[in-house]
Amino acid sequence: MLGAGETLGAELTVGAGLTLGDGDTLGAGDTLGAGLTLGAGDSLGAGLTLGAGETLGAGEMLGAGLSLGAGLSLGAGLTLGAGLSLGAGLTLGAGLTLGAGDTLGAGLTLGAGDVLGAGLTLGAGLTLGAGDSLGAGLTLGAGETLGAGEMLGAGLSLGAGLSLGAGLTLGAGLSLGAGLTLGAGLSLGAGDTLGAGLTLGAGDVLGAGLTLGAGLTLGAGDSLGAGL
C-alpha cells in the first residue's frame, strides 16, 4: 500500500505486504522485506536492506547502505548513520543517534536519547539507560547493564556482565574486567586497569594509570591517587 506523496527510487525490491506512510522517500536499490511498515515522512537512503517485519516510526532517517535485521522495532525520530549493522530483535528508543559503522548485537536495548559514537561494537543483550553517551570506538561486551546518564569515553573496552551505576563518567582507554560492580557517581581516570570481580563504592575517585587487582572492594567515597 502506497501513501500519498510517495517517492520511490530506481530498482527497488519490495516484499509482500509492505505498508508505506504518506510522504515516504525510498532510495535507489533498496531491498525492503515482506510485512515492513514505514511511518509517515520516513526517508530511506540508497542501497538499504530492511528485513521482514520491521516497524519504523514516523520521521525516521536511515542512511545509505544500512543492514537491519529481521523484526527490529525503531522508535520515532531516530537518526541512523551510514553503514550500520543492526542485529535481529533490537529495541531502539526514540530520538536515538547512532554513528557510522556501529555494530549492534541481537537483543540490545537502547534508551531514549542515547548518543553512540562512530565505530562502536555493542554486544548481544546489552541494556543502556536513557541519555547515555558513548564515545567512538567503544567495545561493550554481552549482557552489560549501563544506568541512565552514563558518559563513556572513546576506546573503552568493557568485559562481559558488567553492572555500571547511574551517572558514571569513565575516561578514555580504560580496561574493565568481567563481573565488575561500579557504584553511582564513580569517576575513573584515563588508562586505569580494573581486575575481574572488583567492587567500587558510590562516589569513589580513582586517578589516572591505576592498576587494581581482582576481587578488590572499595568503600563509598574512597579516593585513590594516580599510578597506584
Side-chain angles (χ1 to χ4, degrees), residues 9 20 29 48 53 56 71 98-99 104 120 134 140 144-145 148 153-155 165 169 173 177 226:
L20 303 181
L48 286 175
L56 279 66
L98 303 183
L104 281 64
L120 294 176
L134 307 183
L140 301 183
E144 312 281 19
T145 301
T169 300

Side-chain angles (χ1 to χ4, degrees), residues 94-226:
L96 184 73
T97 300
L98 303 183
D102 289 343
T103 300
L104 281 64
L108 186 71
T109 300
L110 303 182
D114 289 342
V115 177
L116 281 64
L120 294 176
T121 300
L122 306 182
L126 184 72
T127 301
L128 303 184
D132 288 341
S133 176
L134 307 183
L138 286 175
T139 300
L140 301 183
E144 312 281 19
T145 301
L146 279 66
E150 308 285 15
M151 298 178 60
L152 306 184
L156 289 176
S157 176
L158 305 185
L162 289 178
S163 176
L164 307 183
L168 287 177
T169 300
L170 305 184
L174 288 173
S175 176
L176 305 184
L180 292 178
T181 301
L182 306 183
L186 184 72
S187 177
L188 302 183
D192 288 345
T193 301
L194 281 63
L198 188 70
T199 300
L200 302 182
D204 289 342
V205 177
L206 281 65
L210 293 176
T211 300
L212 303 183
L216 185 68
T217 300
L218 300 183
D222 288 340
S223 176
L224 303 182

